[in-house]
Coordinates of all heavy atoms in Angstrom, one line a residue:
A8 N 127.7 22.3 -50.7 CA 126.5 23.0 -50.2 C 125.6 22.0 -49.5 O 125.4 20.9 -50.0 CB 125.8 23.7 -51.3
Q17 N 113.4 35.2 -49.1 CA 112.6 35.8 -48.0 C 113.4 36.2 -46.8 O 112.9 36.5 -45.8 CB 111.4 34.9 -47.6 CG 110.4 34.7 -48.7 CD 109.8 36.1 -49.0 OE1 109.4 36.8 -48.2 NE2 109.7 36.3 -50.3
S23 N 124.1 26.5 -46.5 CA 125.4 26.5 -45.9 C 126.4 26.1 -46.9 O 126.1 25.2 -47.7 CB 125.4 25.7 -44.6 OG 125.1 24.4 -45.0
V26 N 133.8 26.7 -48.5 CA 134.5 27.1 -49.7 C 136.0 27.2 -49.5 O 136.4 27.7 -48.5 CB 134.0 28.5 -50.1 CG1 134.7 29.0 -51.4 CG2 132.5 28.5 -50.4
T41 N 140.8 43.3 -59.9 CA 141.6 42.7 -58.9 C 141.5 43.4 -57.5 O 141.1 44.5 -57.4 CB 143.1 42.8 -59.3 OG1 143.5 44.1 -59.2 CG2 143.4 42.2 -60.7
V45 N 140.5 47.3 -56.4 CA 139.2 47.6 -55.8 C 139.3 47.8 -54.2 O 138.5 48.5 -53.6 CB 138.1 46.6 -56.1 CG1 137.9 46.5 -57.6 CG2 138.3 45.3 -55.4
A50 N 137.6 50.3 -49.2 CA 138.0 50.9 -47.9 C 137.4 52.4 -47.8 O 136.9 52.7 -46.7 CB 139.5 50.9 -47.7
D63 N 107.2 48.2 -49.8 CA 106.1 47.3 -50.0 C 105.9 46.3 -48.9 O 105.7 45.1 -49.1 CB 106.3 46.5 -51.4 CG 105.1 45.9 -51.9 OD1 104.0 46.4 -51.6 OD2 105.2 44.9 -52.7
I68 N 117.4 44.5 -48.0 CA 118.8 44.8 -47.8 C 119.5 44.8 -49.1 O 119.4 43.8 -49.9 CB 119.5 43.7 -46.9 CG1 118.9 43.8 -45.5 CG2 121.0 44.0 -46.8 CD1 119.4 42.7 -44.6
R77 N 132.6 43.9 -57.4 CA 132.8 42.5 -57.1 C 133.9 41.8 -57.9 O 134.3 40.7 -57.4 CB 131.4 41.8 -57.5 CG 131.2 41.7 -59.0 CD 129.8 41.2 -59.3 NE 129.5 41.1 -60.7 CZ 129.1 42.2 -61.4 NH1 128.9 43.4 -60.8 NH2 128.8 42.0 -62.7
L83 N 131.2 37.2 -50.5 CA 130.5 38.2 -49.7 C 129.7 37.4 -48.7 O 129.0 36.5 -49.0 CB 129.5 39.0 -50.6 CG 128.5 39.8 -49.9 CD1 129.1 40.9 -49.0 CD2 127.5 40.4 -51.0
E84 N 129.7 37.9 -47.4 CA 129.0 37.3 -46.4 C 128.3 38.3 -45.5 O 128.9 39.4 -45.3 CB 129.9 36.4 -45.4 CG 130.6 35.3 -46.1 CD 131.7 34.7 -45.3 OE1 132.7 35.3 -45.1 OE2 131.4 33.6 -44.7
S86 N 125.7 39.1 -42.0 CA 125.0 38.6 -40.8 C 124.0 39.7 -40.5 O 124.3 40.8 -40.3 CB 126.0 38.5 -39.6 OG 125.3 38.3 -38.4
V87 N 122.7 39.2 -40.4 CA 121.6 40.1 -40.0 C 121.3 39.9 -38.6 O 121.0 38.7 -38.1 CB 120.4 39.8 -40.9 CG1 119.2 40.7 -40.6 CG2 120.8 40.0 -42.4
G91 N 124.8 35.3 -37.4 CA 125.8 34.5 -38.0 C 126.0 34.8 -39.5 O 125.0 35.2 -40.2
W95 N 126.4 35.3 -49.6 CA 125.5 35.9 -50.6 C 126.3 35.8 -51.9 O 127.4 36.3 -52.0 CB 125.2 37.4 -50.2 CG 124.2 37.6 -49.2 CD1 124.0 36.8 -48.1 CD2 123.2 38.6 -49.1 NE1 122.9 37.2 -47.3 CE2 122.5 38.4 -47.9 CE3 123.0 39.7 -49.9 CZ2 121.4 39.2 -47.5 CZ3 121.9 40.6 -49.5 CH2 121.2 40.3 -48.3
G109 N 129.9 45.9 -64.3 CA 128.5 46.4 -64.6 C 127.5 45.4 -64.1 O 127.7 44.2 -64.1
Q124 N 110.7 46.1 -40.7 CA 111.4 46.6 -39.5 C 112.0 45.5 -38.7 O 112.3 45.6 -37.5 CB 110.4 47.4 -38.7 CG 109.9 48.6 -39.4 CD 109.0 49.5 -38.6 OE1 108.6 49.2 -37.5 NE2 108.8 50.7 -39.1
V126 N 115.1 44.1 -39.6 CA 116.6 44.3 -39.7 C 117.0 45.4 -38.8 O 116.7 46.6 -39.0 CB 117.0 44.6 -41.2 CG1 118.5 44.8 -41.3 CG2 116.5 43.4 -42.1
R132 N 131.1 41.0 -44.4 CA 132.5 40.5 -44.5 C 132.7 40.2 -46.0 O 132.0 39.5 -46.6 CB 132.8 39.3 -43.7 CG 134.2 38.8 -43.8 CD 134.6 37.8 -42.8 NE 133.6 36.7 -42.7 CZ 133.3 36.0 -41.6 NH1 133.9 36.3 -40.5 NH2 132.4 35.0 -41.7
V133 N 133.8 40.9 -46.6 CA 134.2 40.6 -48.0 C 135.5 39.9 -48.0 O 136.4 40.2 -47.1 CB 134.2 41.9 -48.8 CG1 132.8 42.5 -49.0 CG2 135.2 42.9 -48.3
D136 N 140.0 38.9 -53.9 CA 140.6 37.8 -54.7 C 142.1 37.6 -54.4 O 142.7 36.7 -54.9 CB 140.3 38.0 -56.2 CG 140.9 39.2 -56.8 OD1 141.8 39.9 -56.2 OD2 140.6 39.4 -58.0
D141 N 137.9 42.0 -45.3 CA 137.6 43.3 -44.6 C 136.2 43.1 -44.1 O 135.4 42.3 -44.6 CB 137.6 44.4 -45.7 CG 137.8 45.8 -45.0 OD1 137.7 45.9 -43.8 OD2 137.9 46.7 -45.8
Q142 N 135.8 43.8 -43.1 CA 134.6 43.7 -42.4 C 134.1 45.0 -41.9 O 134.8 45.9 -41.6 CB 134.7 42.7 -41.2 CG 133.5 42.2 -40.6 CD 133.7 41.1 -39.7 OE1 134.5 40.2 -39.9 NE2 133.0 41.0 -38.6
D149 N 121.9 53.8 -39.6 CA 123.0 54.3 -40.3 C 123.0 54.0 -41.8 O 123.7 54.6 -42.6 CB 124.3 53.7 -39.7 CG 124.5 54.1 -38.3 OD1 124.1 55.3 -37.9 OD2 125.2 53.4 -37.6

Side-chain angles (χ1 to χ4, degrees):
Q17 290 301 312
S23 59
V26 178
T41 67
V45 303
D63 199 24
I68 297 176
R77 70 188 180 277
L83 166 62
E84 299 168 284
S86 169
V87 179
W95 282 33
Q124 297 184 350
V126 176
R132 181 168 52 211
V133 295
D136 65 9
D141 202 354
Q142 191 167 322
D149 297 331

